[in-house]
Amino acid sequence: MTHTLRKIVFPAAGLGTRFLPATKATPKEMMPIVDKPLIQYGVEEALAAGMDEVIMVTGRGKRAIEDHFDISAELEANLHEAGKDALHEKVSTVARMVDMSYIRQKHAMGLGHAVLCAAPWVGDECFGVSLADELVVSDVPAMKQLRQVHEKTGASVIGLARVPAEEVNRYGMVKAEDENGLLRLSEMVEKPPVGEAPSDMAMIGRYIFTPRLFELLKNTEKGAGGEIQLTDAIARLAKEEPVYGVLIEGERFDAGNPLGFLIANTILGLRHPEFGDSLRAVIKNNL
Ligand code: UTP
């Protein structure tokens, strides 16, 4: 087994029911925050963490993701001829950013199943998993924060954030103990009822796993919501080998639902060098 971590899986085959009808024909990962789709933020973060072998697990709307990261010769030529150099640069950069592979998850059987679909491509290596609808804005890219602990330990590492007590039923919640300054995880529960979470620390869609996870996913039964839950396989992994948690330093936006998406767009819009001042003026006038 090698610890050279370059592979990263982006599960993007969920049904996005919280965001219907917007997600009827478009994966939620293609929803834009200001001027870039969520998935592009995720891929940029992965690249900044040195993870440049990217696989998308897609369902409906696969074409939109593929086209986004593909070269569009006609669009590039049009922008070039029209002298729109800045836009040309943006469009050509995203097309040449990274080589991507795509795997189809034919039925949305859960996040655990989506990750398992990537097993043949990953092979016997450690790998990252990133959920692009969880947008993290941070000085040190979130995946890099995980990578630093992985490089010290060679173990699986999970990105965490503290969440309010009334929100624990929206997340996979963990229990952690201090182990020489690292958070060693001992328990994981998917979406526990309020008042029953093992701590206030939630998994927020950034993971590094040893390939052992795949073996466990293969015989993980359907769990909460009738889906094959990644959380259940992680809980079993943590019983066999060390799994560490990292409280991610940065701002987190749960952009996979309409309110979180609006908040992300508003905050990043207000900070945007080109649109920020105009947006602030419009919001003030409408308060
Ligand atoms: P979510 O539960 O946030 O996504 O899954 P969802 O199921 O699309 O959304 P709702 O709950 O219906 O609104 C977390 C991540 O796992 C992926 C999603 O695309 C998202 O990135 N996923 C989930 C899959 O790829 N396949 C699945 O079967 C389920």
Side-chain angles (χ1 to χ4, degrees):
M1 194 203 305
T2 156
H3 291 305
T4 326
L5 184 65
R6 291 186 62 184
K7 293 185 172 172
I8 183 158
V9 179
F10 284 88
L15 297 178
T17 44
R18 284 167 297 164
F19 225 137
L20 284 167
T23 46
K24 185 171 174 223
T26 309
K28 65 181 168 184
E29 290 76 7
M30 282 303 294
M31 306 277 288
I33 304 296
V34 188
D35 57 356
K36 286 192 291 191
L38 280 161
I39 192 73
Q40 187 176 336
Y41 289 91
V43 169
E44 286 173 353
E45 181 194 309
L47 293 179
M51 301 165 90
D52 58 357
E53 293 182 30
V54 174
I55 189 158
M56 297 278 162
V57 182
T58 59
R60 295 154 314 133
K62 166 190 158 87
R63 280 270 304 278
I65 299 181
E66 261 185 64
D67 288 349
H68 183 71
F69 289 102
D70 203 0
I71 292 173
S72 171
E74 195 186 340
L75 177 61
E76 288 186 27
N78 283 346
L79 292 171
H80 183 65
E81 274 163 32
K84 296 183 174 167
D85 296 336
L87 286 177
H88 180 269
E89 167 76 15
K90 281 185 189 171
V91 166
S92 77
T93 303
V94 65
R96 290 161 181 81
M97 185 171 271
V98 68
D99 279 331
M100 249 177 236
S101 308
Y102 296 87
I103 287 187
R104 188 95 171 180
Q105 184 192 22
K106 287 188 183 152
H107 300 287
M109 288 165 62
L111 174 58
H113 179 256
V115 172
L116 183 57
C117 289
W121 175 83
V122 173
D124 191 28
E125 287 180 36
C126 293
F127 64 103
V129 173
S130 181
L131 307 187
D133 57 332
E134 288 273 4
L135 176 62
V136 182
V137 178
S138 53
D139 291 338
V140 179
M143 280 309 299
K144 194 167 183 178
Q145 296 181 38
L146 267 63
R147 184 180 190 123
Q148 286 162 352
V149 175
H150 173 73
E151 281 173 357
K152 271 191 218 145
T153 60
S156 299
V157 186
I158 316 279
L160 304 173
R162 294 190 192 279
V163 297
E166 64 278 11
E167 288 181 14
V168 299
N169 55 2
R170 289 170 25 191
Y171 296 93
M173 302 299 298
V174 305
K175 186 174 174 196
E177 283 89 33
D178 177 76
E179 187 188 272
N180 305 322
L182 294 175
L183 285 174
R184 179 150 176 188
L185 306 187
S186 57
E187 245 181 71
M188 293 90 199
V189 192
E190 185 62 22
K191 300 187 175 78
V194 171
E196 291 179 29
S199 78
D200 64 347
M201 288 183 279
M203 299 192 266
I204 52 123
R206 298 293 184 279
Y207 316 83
I208 291 171
F209 293 118
T210 63
R212 176 71 186 145
L213 181 87
F214 289 131
E215 296 309 312
L216 298 172
L217 274 174
K218 275 179 199 158
N219 51 33
T220 295
E221 303 284 329
K222 285 181 187 170
E227 297 191 334
I228 296 178
Q229 293 289 351
L230 182 62
T231 302
D232 295 344
I234 303 173
R236 291 170 58 208
L237 186 67
K239 291 199 162 61
E240 287 190 7
E241 55 180 56
V243 175
Y244 295 101
V246 173
L247 280 162
I248 299 288
E249 286 184 25
E251 279 173 289
R252 188 176 59 87
F253 300 98
D254 180 4
N257 68 82
L259 178 61
F261 175 80
L262 286 172
I263 293 171
N265 263 302
T266 307
I267 293 183
L268 297 199
L270 285 169
R271 285 182 201 160
H272 194 276
E274 194 182 336
F275 314 126
D277 289 344
S278 311
L279 179 62
R280 190 167 295 106
V282 173
I283 291 174
K284 266 193 192 152
N285 286 342
N286 282 279
L287 287 177

